[in-house]
């Protein structure tokens, strides 16, 4: 049974430009994140991942706008909240974001300890001492010295600011954490430590996560379900097991060949030729068509509709040839080891 915490339904997001040549950054995007799930959103640079994250929390750049479709959080349309309501009731408390760039997330003129006290005062029953203790505890989790809790953000390096933001994102124990390439500034050991910490709290907090990355192996190892994006379109969505075992969109298929696999250390990585198109003007074609070995004329004659894979509505591929892909891909995909799987499953 599905129990969505966040739903995207046919969402279009555009950025206006001075020349009137709008960027259609996200086109007809649909996916759904279930409560308690870790959901990975993967795709190469510029495909629209951060735009999606920003739209969820009303943080699009001033020239950006959700032009159609619906975004629902716990069944309520996010667009229905006023900015004030959203900031009071949802931001940080329900949904917190670890942004791709840590700049501007923290108040530059307030000590971090005071920012924690303010947050706690506003949203919790914690005493001042408890509020500071909670920050101390989280500083330890993210590898910051607790002696720095009374510092100002500018006294931290970029990597340390990123860690402080992660501490604040966890501070109010939100239901949904959006992590936009959160760990690019962190080393692998710290990434694992933070993910382990969140996993440890998953049951107590009923936490869900939208993990945004360009690295499909991170998603396979840490998430329960996922969406693959290409050129402003969702290409495929489903459980990680579905997408790993039965990818049906050509981009998802080729991506699997493009990442290093511990089971095949000598395998040469496939390179996906070509570039995604500039998303200026109407996107009424499959944005992968120019790079797709299996493209047909119809791929350029309209945006593809979602196809349920093997009749399963939870596993969808936006490809007109989804039904044929198993056969077509068999020639392309490396064999998978029978017994070993890299899937972590998120639990
Ligand atoms: N304020 C803006 N005005 C115009 N175009 C924008 C704006 N912000 C983003 N874009 C464009 O929208 C598209 C999607 O950008 P987005 O930042 O969402 O990509 P991304 O998938 O997060 O990439 P990355 O992996 O590099 O972070 C890109 O073509 C980008 O150039
Ligand atoms: Mg981004």
């Amino acid at each position: 049974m599905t129990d969505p915490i966040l739903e995207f339904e046919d969402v279009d997001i555009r950025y206006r430009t001075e020349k009137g040549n709008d960027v259609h950054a996200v086109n007809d995007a649909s996916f759904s994140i279930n409560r308690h799930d870790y959901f990975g959103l993967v795709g190469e640079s510029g495909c629209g991942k951060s735009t999606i994250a920003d739209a969820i929390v009303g943080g699009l750049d001033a020239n950006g706008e959700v032009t159609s479709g619906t975004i629902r959080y716990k069944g309520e349309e996010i667009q229905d909240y006023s900015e004030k309501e959203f900031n009071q009731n949802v931001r940080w408390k329900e949904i917190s974001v670890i942004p791709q760039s840590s700049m501007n997330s923290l108040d530059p003129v307030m000590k971090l300890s005071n920012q924690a006290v303010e947050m706690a005062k506003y949203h919790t029953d914690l005493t001042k001492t408890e509020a500071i203790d909670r920050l101390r505890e989280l500083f330890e989790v993210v590898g910051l010295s607790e002696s720095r809790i009374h510092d100002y953000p500018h006294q931290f390096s970029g990597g340390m600011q990123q860690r402080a933001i992660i501490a604040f994102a966890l501070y109010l124990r939100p239901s949904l954490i959006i992590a936009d390439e959160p760990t690019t500034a962190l080393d692998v050991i710290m990434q694992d430590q933070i993910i382990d910490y969140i996993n440890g709290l998953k049951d107590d907090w009923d936490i869900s996560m939208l993990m945004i990355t360009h690295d499909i192996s991170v998603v396979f190892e840490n998430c329960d379900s996922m969406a693959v994006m290409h050129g402003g379109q969702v290409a495929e969505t489903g459980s990680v097991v579905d997408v790993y075992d039965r990818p049906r969109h050509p981009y998802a298929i080729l991506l699997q060949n493009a990442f290093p696999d511990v089971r095949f250390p000598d395998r040469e990585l496939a390179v996906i030729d070509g570039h995604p198109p500039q998303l200026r003007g109407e996107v009424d074609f499959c944005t992968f068509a120019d790079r797709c070995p299996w493209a047909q004329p119809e791929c350029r004659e309209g945006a593809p509709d979602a196809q349920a894979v093997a009749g399963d509505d939870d596993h969808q591929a936006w490809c007109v040839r989804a039904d044929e892909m198993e056969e077509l891909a068999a020639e392309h995909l490396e064999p998978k080891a029978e017994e070993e799987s890299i899937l972590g499953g998120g639990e």
Side-chain angles (χ1 to χ4, degrees):
M1 203 186 75
T2 54
D3 182 12
I5 187 164
L6 185 83
E7 296 158 277
F8 260 62
E9 209 175 279
D10 309 326
V11 174
D12 288 343
I13 306 173
R14 296 183 187 172
Y15 292 107
R16 284 180 307 282
T17 60
E18 277 171 18
K19 291 178 191 144
N21 211 355
D22 290 359
V23 178
H24 291 230
V26 173
N27 299 283
D28 207 22
S30 296
F31 63 88
S32 167
I33 303 179
N34 285 332
R35 275 182 204 232
H36 218 65
D37 268 8
Y38 285 8
F39 186 96
L41 181 60
V42 67
E44 65 198 348
S45 185
C47 73
K49 304 181 297 297
S50 297
T51 299
I52 282 187
D54 292 344
I56 296 167
V57 291
L60 284 171
D61 292 343
N63 63 334
E65 192 189 350
V66 176
T67 50
S68 68
T70 313
I71 305 172
R72 272 187 231 99
Y73 175 72
K74 290 188 174 170
E76 308 239 351
E77 273 195 43
I78 275 190
Q79 294 108 306
D80 286 350
Y81 287 102
S82 70
E83 195 178 333
K84 192 171 164 215
E85 277 173 335
F86 191 84
N87 287 337
Q88 268 176 4
N89 303 321
V90 185
R91 189 87 206 245
W92 297 107
K93 195 177 170 200
E94 286 283 337
I95 308 178
S96 71
V97 186
I98 304 169
Q100 190 165 12
S101 146
S102 57
M103 300 302 154
N104 307 327
S105 292
L106 297 169
D107 187 337
V109 296
M110 212 192 232
K111 289 178 181 172
L112 294 168
S113 52
N114 286 346
Q115 300 196 34
V117 170
E118 281 301 304
M119 251 186 175
K121 194 164 88 186
Y122 203 61
H123 293 291
T124 75
D125 298 329
L126 296 181
T127 64
K128 194 173 167 187
T129 315
E130 287 167 342
I132 291 178
D133 283 348
R134 187 184 280 187
L135 186 65
R136 238 184 221 124
E137 191 187 303
L138 285 166
F139 261 41
E140 194 182 323
V141 170
V142 299
L144 288 172
S145 162
E146 59 169 272
S147 66
R148 307 291 301 265
I149 61 167
H150 300 300
D151 283 2
Y152 290 93
H154 72 260
Q155 291 172 277
F156 281 12
S157 70
M160 287 163 74
Q161 284 187 14
Q162 184 77 349
R163 286 160 197 247
I165 302 232
I166 295 172
F168 277 98
L170 298 170
Y171 191 81
L172 291 177
R173 306 185 170 169
S175 300
L176 176 66
I177 296 179
I178 300 174
D180 191 354
E181 306 265 9
T183 47
T184 34
L186 305 177
D187 60 60
V188 176
I189 294 170
M190 189 50 59
Q191 284 184 32
D192 286 349
Q193 188 175 326
I194 289 167
I195 289 173
D196 280 353
Y197 176 79
I198 297 173
N199 282 340
L201 296 167
K202 213 173 163 190
D203 289 327
D204 294 343
W205 294 7
D206 192 20
I207 224 166
S208 311
M209 176 128 80
L210 170 56
M211 199 184 275
I212 294 177
T213 173
H214 56 267
D215 185 346
I216 201 169
S217 61
V218 168
V219 173
F220 284 147
E221 281 161 29
N222 295 297
C223 295
D224 305 291
S225 46
M226 64 190 291
V228 178
M229 277 190 85
H230 182 272
Q233 293 171 329
V234 176
E236 183 155 352
T237 186
S239 71
V240 292
V241 177
D242 284 341
V243 179
Y244 184 77
D245 284 344
R246 293 173 289 282
R248 292 292 179 266
H249 189 285
Y251 183 54
I253 289 167
L254 296 179
L255 261 190
Q256 285 211 11
N257 263 17
F259 79 90
D261 187 327
V262 285
R263 296 161 308 162
F264 301 104
D266 299 328
R267 194 175 83 183
E268 280 192 28
L269 292 187
V271 174
I272 302 175
D273 293 333
H275 301 282
Q278 291 285 316
L279 300 175
R280 304 278 175 156
E282 217 53 58
V283 179
D284 49 4
F285 51 89
C286 169
T287 59
F288 194 61
D290 284 349
R291 306 169 80 180
C292 180
W294 303 288
Q296 303 283 309
E298 60 182 311
C299 305
R300 297 183 177 87
E301 288 159 8
D305 291 323
Q307 312 281 336
V309 176
D312 177 1
D313 281 338
D314 291 335
H315 181 193
Q316 300 199 305
W318 280 255
C319 173
V320 291
R321 304 191 76 184
D323 289 348
E324 302 165 69
M325 280 324 294
E326 183 173 18
E327 225 170 284
L328 294 171
E331 303 142 29
H332 253 267
L333 277 183
E334 293 287 335
K336 285 191 178 131
E338 286 287 316
E339 284 158 26
E340 253 179 292
S341 172
I342 64 151
L343 298 180
E347 289 290 332

